[in-house]
Amino acid sequence: MRLSLSLIVFSLSACIPKTPADFALINGNIYTVNPSQPHAEAVAVKDGRIIAVGTNEEIEVFIEEKTEVLDLAGKTVVPGLIESHAHIMGVGENKRYLNLLAVGSYDELVEKVAEAVAKAKPGEWILGRGWHQSKWIPQPEMITGYQTHEKLSAVSPDNPVFLSHASGHAAFANAKAMEIAGITPSMTFGEEGEIIQYPDGRPTGIFTESAAGLIGRFVPQDTPETLRLDLQAAIDECLANGLTSFQDAGSGPAAIDTYEAFVKEGKMAIRLWTMLDGSDEKLLQTWYAKGPHTESEFLTVRAIKLYADGALGSRGAWLLEEYTDRPGHRGNPIMPMDYVQTVSRDALKHGFQVCVHAIGDRANREVLDRFEAAFAESPEIKDPRFRIEHAQHLHPEDIPRFSKLGVIASMQAIHMSSDRPWAIDRLGQKRIDEGAYVWRKLIDSGAKVINGTDAPVEPLSPIACFYASVSRKTLAGEPSGGYEPSQKMTRAEALRSYTLDAAYGAFQEKEKGSIEVGKLGDFTVLSQDIMVVEEEKILSTVIEYTLVGGVVRYKKP
């Protein structure tokens, strides 16, 4: 009798119509990043969330006349890709300024500035970003590892020029800009930066770390209108690159006001998670008072960004031992470690994550020490998920501390691809082997490693970053076998670092990062299967569609 009743119940339930989907993907090669259902063929979405994952036949019952259906024709789908560390306003701003990422020599940089000067009014600032002297061929005359301003100043006598290094941790100014800023021979700066000078004290035009602010404070400030333009340009760039979520590495009040306005107006087409600018103590106090903002699907504010040191390219990364190519120099801290300690302690009390930029091994050790002390003071907080942003160069003894302390390593694989050819000059082979860009050692020790590009430091391309993660090669495919190949990620690990693990890094793994019922309907559709295609073909992958909440936000032109 019991068996007959169960059969009747099953029969009746089979007749009950399924909830019709608003949107469905069918005929796909879907990588779900869900261990209990790794692959699927189709997905159904209702009210922005996934209601079913399975075969075409299983999803067909959710499709009705009003359901929008995207036939993938076998194309590959992954969970909506998450940029774990970049600068949203910088991505947009880079569209307005001179983009110098591809500049291959000092002479080419001068030519670009000369072209901009020809179009500008006298006195108008020429701004740009992206140059990197260590990548130039041929190398120009150098003072302390940097070019000098004379060629630049010769083509821009009436226009102040201010060009940020690719890393954002140094800047290059012409004579006019230095005149406006009142820079004089033999002027010095504190420990937080350096004015690079000729032996006789004359400034070369290079200002590292905080010293760049001597010029930067005279640059015209952004307006509400330019901020809106920059944000919209950045959102468009994200969608074109298959990114549905973006973890912004530090914003101040004006930028956050712009984000909130976009959400209110329905213009925030990606999911933005932002860190507060930790150098603004007033901003921190304001947010401590009101607490984290986690209610919106499109804007989360629950983290604080601090800086422990500078960049390896500018020799501002804080090292335990001197630079191989600059004897006696070990870089420098950007913020006092006591301040890092204070913010870490206060953030725990108010429910915020702390994310600290640390590149050198000394900086990473100092930050881990401060985190460990803060955690010990608040043992009741079991899962703080504090992060170290970059974690590029680690002392071997500090590698297992990430897992032990639960500290997330927010790394950018593309930095290895871009920097490794010259990073060996800064660190030498032994330090490179032991602790530079050691994703494999961190993962094997149990640490969470999340991925990103640090755009606009690097191009905002998750495909290029995925390639760097699994190949350990430059984007030109060199060297054969990759740099330090024992540190490669598997393709599954690289995908997780851009999806489920990235979501974990923001306390959002229950909302996104995998394709499973109940999660947000965010998907990235690729032109080919990056999980199996030959390694040399990964970089030719094209973003076909980007979907946010089951809505097509980008389609390949």
Side-chain angles (χ1 to χ4, degrees):
M1 181 64 181
R2 180 178 297 176
L3 179 60
S4 300
L5 180 60
S6 65
L7 287 172
I8 292 169
V9 171
F10 176 80
S11 178
L12 289 173
S13 66
C15 297
I16 297 172
K18 299 287 187 180
T19 302
D22 299 324
F23 186 89
L25 295 169
I26 62 171
N27 294 322
N29 171 36
I30 301 173
Y31 289 91
T32 67
V33 195
N34 175 9
S36 63
Q37 187 185 16
H39 294 92
E41 196 175 27
V43 183
V45 177
K46 175 73 173 178
D47 296 329
R49 290 186 177 268
I50 298 167
I51 58 172
V53 182
T55 64
N56 286 330
E57 291 74 19
E58 290 168 333
I59 300 305
E60 185 178 359
V61 297
F62 295 91
I63 298 174
E64 293 190 350
E65 185 177 350
K66 293 183 179 180
T67 304
E68 183 180 352
V69 178
L70 177 58
D71 187 339
L72 296 163
K75 289 188 172 63
T76 294
V77 179
V78 296
L81 296 174
I82 302 171
E83 167 62 64
S84 294
H85 178 110
H87 305 269
I88 190 78
M89 286 304 199
V91 170
E93 188 179 77
N94 226 32
K95 299 292 186 180
R96 289 192 287 123
Y97 296 163
L98 287 178
N99 187 337
L100 305 173
L101 281 172
V103 164
S105 68
Y106 183 22
D107 287 343
E108 187 179 345
L109 179 148
V110 171
E111 288 174 12
K112 282 188 171 290
V113 171
E115 291 171 3
V117 167
K119 300 174 184 176
K121 299 174 184 177
E124 184 177 346
W125 282 80
I126 307 297
L127 305 173
R129 178 168 179 162
W131 62 270
H132 201 306
Q133 80 285 3
S134 295
K135 301 178 182 180
W136 289 345
I137 300 174
Q139 289 277 286
E141 177 187 354
M142 297 278 199
I143 299 292
T144 320
Y146 289 100
Q147 72 279 9
T148 61
H149 73 87
E150 284 78 12
K151 279 188 176 182
L152 178 68
S153 297
V155 300
S156 54
D158 302 317
N159 293 86
V161 179
F162 191 57
L163 310 173
S164 293
H165 191 270
S167 67
H169 289 268
F172 188 27
N174 72 343
K176 188 66 175 178
M178 289 189 282
E179 176 190 328
I180 290 171
I183 306 300
T184 58
S186 300
M187 180 183 285
T188 59
F189 197 74
E191 293 183 357
E192 295 81 19
E194 187 176 7
I195 302 171
I196 304 297
Q197 298 168 328
Y198 285 100
D200 62 8
R202 288 177 296 124
T204 64
I206 297 293
F207 299 79
T208 71
E209 307 302 344
S210 298
L214 294 171
I215 308 289
R217 59 188 172 145
F218 291 92
V219 173
Q221 297 299 300
D222 287 324
T223 65
E225 291 73 24
T226 57
L227 288 173
R228 289 180 66 89
L229 288 171
D230 290 346
L231 180 55
Q232 187 58 61
I235 290 170
D236 294 342
E237 184 78 358
C238 288
L239 294 170
N241 279 282
L243 297 168
T244 60
S245 291
F246 190 107
Q247 295 176 9
D248 172 48
S251 285
I256 294 171
D257 287 347
T258 308
Y259 308 154
E260 291 176 335
F262 264 52
V263 172
K264 186 176 181 180
E265 297 164 15
K267 294 181 178 179
M268 186 65 80
I270 59 170
R271 306 189 193 279
L272 183 62
W273 178 97
T274 191
M275 308 174 198
L276 299 167
D277 176 3
S279 67
D280 187 337
E281 294 185 57
K282 183 179 177 181
L283 179 68
L284 296 189
Q285 293 304 321
T286 297
W287 279 90
Y288 288 159
K290 61 184 179 181
H293 177 73
T294 58
E295 297 78 24
S296 170
E297 291 180 358
F298 287 93
L299 178 63
T300 300
V301 184
R302 67 166 305 156
I304 298 166
K305 172 70 178 296
L306 300 175
Y307 284 87
D309 66 347
L312 198 63
S314 62
R315 297 181 184 82
W318 195 15
L319 305 181
L320 290 165
E321 303 295 336
E322 65 186 13
Y323 278 80
T324 301
D325 60 356
R326 189 177 172 186
H329 182 69
R330 299 190 183 198
N332 50 272
I334 296 296
M335 290 180 169
M337 289 301 106
D338 286 347
Y339 184 66
V340 173
Q341 180 76 64
T342 298
V343 173
S344 298
R345 182 187 303 120
D346 292 345
L348 284 172
K349 293 176 181 177
H350 293 94
F352 286 85
Q353 289 173 269
V354 175
C355 310
V356 186
H357 165 118
I359 290 183
D361 53 359
R362 172 74 183 274
N364 277 277
R365 175 170 292 179
E366 295 280 350
V367 173
L368 288 167
D369 288 347
R370 296 326 186 273
F371 283 178
E372 186 170 17
F375 297 162
E377 290 180 27
S378 299
E380 73 281 4
I381 300 174
K382 303 300 183 184
D383 188 22
R385 301 194 197 180
F386 278 19
R387 299 167 34 156
I388 290 185
E389 308 298 315
H390 308 308
Q392 276 188 19
H393 172 45
L394 308 173
H395 189 281
E397 293 176 3
D398 292 319
I399 292 171
R401 297 180 69 194
F402 282 80
S403 176
K404 179 182 177 182
L405 295 172
V407 173
I408 295 162
S410 173
M411 306 178 78
Q412 297 72 49
I414 194 66
H415 281 332
M416 189 287 309
S417 178
S418 180
D419 298 356
R420 176 56 183 80
W422 54 261
I424 193 166
D425 298 330
R426 304 283 194 274
L427 299 174
Q429 188 69 57
K430 182 175 185 293
R431 287 188 288 187
I432 288 282
D433 288 340
E434 289 181 345
Y437 316 98
V438 286
W439 317 319
R440 173 87 277 129
K441 289 182 181 180
L442 282 162
I443 292 170
D444 288 348
S445 74
K448 277 276 192 291
V449 174
I450 63 179
N451 219 329
T453 62
D454 202 10
V457 175
E458 305 281 359
L460 188 69
S461 170
I463 299 302
C465 212
F466 181 92
Y467 172 79
S469 301
V470 302
S471 73
R472 301 278 298 191
K473 296 177 182 178
T474 69
L475 300 188
E478 298 174 348
S480 176
Y483 289 108
E484 292 74 51
S486 66
Q487 295 305 304
K488 292 178 181 179
M489 292 186 198
T490 67
R491 297 197 192 195
E493 289 167 343
L495 181 59
R496 279 184 64 101
S497 74
Y498 250 99
T499 53
L500 192 57
D501 287 346
Y504 176 91
F507 280 97
Q508 294 175 332
E509 73 276 11
K510 293 181 180 179
E511 292 287 299
K512 63 177 76 168
S514 60
I515 298 173
E516 51 187 304
V517 173
K519 289 195 174 183
L520 294 164
D522 298 350
F523 314 101
T524 304
V525 182
L526 308 173
S527 63
Q528 59 182 347
D529 188 343
I530 59 173
M531 305 302 283
V532 299
V533 71
E534 294 92 334
E535 185 176 275
E536 63 271 18
K537 293 182 179 179
I538 291 174
L539 287 173
S540 64
T541 305
V542 173
I543 305 300
E544 297 279 349
Y545 295 91
T546 305
L547 298 94
V548 182
V551 176
V552 175
R553 294 289 189 173
Y554 170 83
K555 179 181 178 181
K556 184 185 72 173

